[in-house]
């Protein structure tokens, strides 16, 4: 396993990390992902550790806290062998007006609850799951800084922020001397390259490492979906497509056609190629993979230890290229002074 620095920090993380969205299976969304229990989670973690993957990503809202509890039980007595990444911001309790957002009240309470569910006294990487426009960034950042100084959190990151959300927060941290964000957990895939327009240049400029979620495009790049073939019966898509990133079908098939061509050249699976493509992109610190079972996990772990050729990368780039939104298409015309990050 390759290890990379998380943004501009001394913290090294594996190129692949494991997402626990399949742990618990509570509710319509997470039930469509999987329902891994403690015993199966322990076995999956064994496989990960054997492969050198030691970073496990979760969140308070995954199956209403069950994912964190299952992860905590599965790593009991081996906390020193693993790194834990978790998130909070989204509503956790429908009846409590303060059980949402990034206020001091909510963050202090929810992180204590997360530590209890995880069975640990510190979180290696804590990320805000989304931007809270109703809480001043100074309130959020001062609270997170207090938690770092108290030893409850070691590194900070964000997820699903716009570029200006992140830049405003970084400016406030610099102004007040507070602990800085070093990670951005963002959606990025061969069928979702919006990350490259603004967040990647920001990451390069500010030293923010990408923690990539849904690298297989919400399950569309597993190799099970192809032009002219029926959709697979076992898939996360039917139960959760409305929650994930939208993708035009013809565009999807165009990318899958290119993946199939590279698969024939390399002998690798479609999923392994899609993951390897991401691992060669600037700013990417770690790619979060998920798996319903051990077989899927081992297949995804096969994305490391080799690299696509420049010609294969170019083929995939061309197949997945889209005209970006304004002002990015305009900026692309002035590459002399505003070069593309890739």
């Amino acid at each position: 396993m390759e290890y990379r620095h998380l943004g501009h920090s001394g913290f090294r993380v594996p190129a692949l990390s494991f997402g626990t969205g399949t742990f618990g299976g509570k509710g319509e969304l997470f039930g469509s992902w999987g329902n891994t229990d403690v015993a199966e989670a322990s076995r999956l973690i064994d496989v990960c550790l054997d492969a050198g993957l030691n970073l496990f990503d979760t969140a308070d809202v995954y199956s209403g806290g069950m994912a964190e509890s299952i992860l905590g039980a599965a790593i009991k007595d081996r906390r020193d062998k693993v790194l834990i990444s978790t998130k909070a911001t989204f509503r956790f309790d429908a009846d409590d007006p303060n059980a949402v957002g990034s206020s001091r009240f909510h963050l202090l309470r929810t992180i204590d609850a997360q530590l209890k569910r995880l069975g640990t006294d510190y979180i290696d990487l804590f990320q805000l799951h989304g931007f809270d426009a109703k809480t001043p960034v100074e309130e959020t950042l001062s609270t997170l800084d207090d938690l770092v100084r108290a030893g409850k959190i070691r590194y900070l990151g964000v997820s699903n922020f716009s570029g200006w959300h992140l830049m405003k927060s970084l400016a406030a941290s610099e102004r007040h001397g507070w602990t800085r964000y070093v990670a951005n957990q963002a959606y990025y895939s061969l069928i979702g390259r919006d990350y490259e327009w603004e967040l990647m240049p920001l990451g390069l400029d500010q030293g923010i490492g990408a923690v990539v979620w849904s690298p297989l495009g919400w399950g569309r790049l597993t190799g099970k979906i192809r032009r002219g073939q029926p959709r697979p019966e076992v898939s996360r898509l039917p139960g959760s497509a409305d929650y994930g990133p939208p993708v035009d079908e013809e565009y999807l098939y165009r990318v899958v056609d290119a993946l199939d061509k590279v698969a024939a050249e390399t002998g690798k699976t479609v999923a392994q190629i899609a993951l390897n493509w991401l691992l060669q992109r600037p700013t990417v610190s770690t790619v979060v993979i998920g798996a319903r079972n051990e077989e899927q996990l081992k297949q995804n772990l096969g994305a490391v230890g080799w690299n696509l050729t420049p010609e294969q990368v170019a083929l995939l780039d061309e197949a997945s290229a889209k005209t970006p939104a304004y002002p990015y298409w305009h900026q692309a015309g002035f590459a002399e002074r505003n070069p593309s990050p890739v």
Side-chain angles (χ1 to χ4, degrees):
M1 180 63 64
E2 176 192 355
Y3 290 83
R4 303 177 173 190
H5 285 281
L6 183 63
H8 188 58
S9 79
F11 185 39
R12 297 183 72 197
V13 295
L16 295 178
S17 47
F18 186 83
T20 65
T22 57
F23 289 10
K26 180 181 177 182
E28 179 185 4
L29 173 60
F30 298 107
S32 69
W33 289 10
N35 57 355
T36 302
D37 59 16
V38 174
E40 180 65 12
S42 296
R43 176 57 191 154
L44 294 175
I45 290 171
D46 288 342
V47 173
C48 287
L49 293 176
D50 286 345
L53 188 165
N54 64 346
L55 175 59
F56 300 90
D57 182 71
T58 189
D60 61 344
V61 294
Y62 290 178
S63 291
M66 285 180 62
E68 288 182 324
S69 296
I70 291 171
L71 176 60
I75 63 170
K76 187 177 181 181
D77 300 325
R78 51 179 173 176
R79 174 65 180 93
D80 60 329
K81 306 294 184 184
V82 305
L83 303 174
I84 294 175
S85 162
T86 192
K87 304 177 287 293
T89 294
F90 298 147
R91 177 163 291 284
F92 191 77
D93 183 336
D95 299 321
D96 184 345
N98 281 308
V100 64
S102 301
S103 68
R104 174 173 285 268
F105 183 94
H106 182 235
L107 287 177
L108 292 176
R109 183 170 66 172
T110 197
I111 289 172
D112 280 344
Q114 290 177 285
L115 290 170
K116 184 175 181 180
R117 287 193 293 269
L118 290 163
T120 185
D121 56 5
Y122 68 95
I123 295 165
D124 296 285
L125 172 62
F126 177 80
Q127 299 145 110
L128 298 177
H129 215 159
F131 186 68
D132 179 2
K134 296 186 177 181
T135 299
V137 296
E138 291 81 7
E139 178 180 341
T140 299
L141 290 163
S142 64
T143 303
L144 291 174
D145 186 67
D146 288 345
L147 288 163
V148 171
R149 294 175 187 275
K152 294 184 178 182
I153 296 172
R154 293 187 171 175
Y155 292 91
L156 297 175
V158 300
S159 184
N160 306 307
F161 274 38
S162 299
W164 74 268
H165 294 158
L166 180 50
M167 202 62 234
K168 180 177 181 178
S169 300
L170 291 171
S173 292
E174 183 174 351
R175 187 164 60 248
H176 295 281
W178 293 326
T179 307
R180 200 172 183 272
Y181 295 133
V182 295
N184 179 15
Q185 186 160 153
Y187 171 59
Y188 187 25
S189 79
L190 260 172
I191 53 172
R193 295 177 58 184
D194 300 0
Y195 170 78
E196 296 174 4
W197 300 353
E198 180 168 273
L199 295 172
M200 183 183 283
L202 189 159
L204 286 169
D205 182 71
Q206 294 294 312
I208 306 296
V211 178
V212 177
W213 65 262
S214 205
L216 298 180
W218 210 252
R220 294 178 175 94
L221 300 179
T222 59
K224 297 178 181 179
I225 297 176
R226 285 185 171 83
R227 192 188 303 273
Q229 295 184 10
R231 292 296 175 96
E233 293 182 6
V234 179
S235 169
R236 74 159 64 178
L237 277 171
S240 66
D242 290 344
Y243 296 95
V247 180
D248 175 75
E249 283 206 347
E250 182 53 37
Y251 173 66
L252 170 62
Y253 293 142
R254 188 176 81 205
V255 174
V256 171
D257 288 345
L259 283 165
D260 279 335
K261 182 175 180 180
V262 176
E265 295 174 356
T266 61
K268 303 295 185 180
T269 69
V270 164
Q272 289 169 345
I273 294 164
L275 294 171
N276 191 270
W277 178 86
L278 281 168
L279 290 171
Q280 297 188 51
R281 312 305 277 184
T283 73
V284 172
S285 293
T286 186
V287 173
V288 182
I289 59 173
R292 292 172 179 264
N293 53 52
E294 187 176 334
E295 180 185 358
Q296 285 185 350
L297 174 57
K298 288 182 175 178
Q299 287 182 359
N300 286 339
L301 288 169
V304 296
W306 59 281
N307 276 328
L308 296 164
T309 66
E311 293 76 18
Q312 290 165 344
V313 170
L315 175 68
L316 296 170
D317 286 353
E318 182 179 359
S320 60
K322 274 191 170 183
T323 301
Y326 175 82
Y328 310 110
W329 63 258
H330 191 276
Q331 293 168 358
F334 297 91
E336 180 185 7
R337 304 300 294 174
N338 192 20
S340 170
V342 289

